[in-house]
Amino acid sequence: MRSSILAILISGSAGLIQSSDLPHAFPREGAVQLADNDRVAIWDVTWLKGKPSPMHRHRYDLVGVYLVGSTIRITLPDGAARESTVEPGFILYQREAVTHIEEGTADIPRHAILADIKGGPVGETPNLSGQPAAFPRMGVRRALDNEKVVIWEYAWTLGQPTGMHFHDKDMFVVFMA
C-alpha cells in the first residue's frame, strides 16, 4: 500500500492586512480551525451546497490542497459570478486581498486543507543534527516553489522507512491517502 502526503514548508513574509469592512475568509460555516500560531492558521474547509460564505477579503496569502474536488460558484464584489472546478490533489497558492463570495454547488462538497500565511520571514534552522535535510530526497516531487512556500509531493510504501532526516523550515503535512 502506498500513502501520499504533501509537505508544505512555510518560509516567506506575510502580506499587508487590507483595511476594509469585509471580514476575513475564516472562520465561517464549513471551516474548522486545525492550528493557529503567529506564522499560520490552518483550516479544514468544506464548501457546503447552497450555503454561500459572506463577502470576504483574504487578509493573508493562502496555500493548501484539495482533498475532494468539485464545483463552487465564486461571486466577485461587482456581482460577476463564475464556476470554479478543481480535482482532488489540486494545490492552491493565492495572494492576499482576493475578495469574493464562495458557494458550494455540488452534492459532494469540495473539501480542502488551507493555511493562511500570516507570519514574517524566519529562514532556515541550522542543521546541527548530522542528518540529511528532509527535502529534497528520493521519490519526492517539488509541486510548488515561490518566495513564501515550497510544497513537496511524496509517496511511500508501507513498511519502508524514510530514514532519519532534519526539517530546516516550518512545515505541516497533509495526508492524501
Side-chain angles (χ1 to χ4, degrees), residues 157-177:
T157 303
L158 186 62
Q160 290 185 351
T162 61
M164 292 294 290
H165 55 268
F166 180 79
H167 291 274
D168 61 350
K169 296 175 184 64
D170 291 347
M171 73 172 291
F172 67 95
V173 176
V174 177
F175 291 88
M176 299 295 295

Side-chain angles (χ1 to χ4, degrees), residues 52-145:
S53 70
M55 179 69 71
H56 59 268
R57 175 168 289 138
H58 290 267
R59 290 184 182 149
Y60 310 103
D61 286 2
L62 186 70
V63 65
V65 62
Y66 289 88
L67 306 174
V68 176
S70 70
T71 302
I72 65 170
R73 178 176 300 111
I74 306 224
T75 305
L76 301 176
D78 67 3
R82 66 176 174 83
E83 300 295 310
S84 164
T85 303
V86 298
E87 297 296 321
F90 179 80
I91 295 169
L92 170 75
Y93 182 78
Q94 173 182 286
R95 297 280 184 192
E96 66 174 333
V98 170
T99 304
H100 55 205
I101 296 169
E102 299 166 305
E103 179 181 354
T105 58
D107 290 330
I108 298 174
R110 183 183 288 193
H111 182 200
I113 303 298
L114 302 175
D116 286 323
I117 304 171
K118 59 183 182 174
V122 170
E124 295 180 4
T125 301
N127 183 355
L128 304 176
S129 72
Q131 302 298 328
F135 301 102
R137 66 175 170 224
M138 185 98 131
V140 173
R141 181 181 77 85
R142 188 184 311 244
L144 176 76
D145 187 352

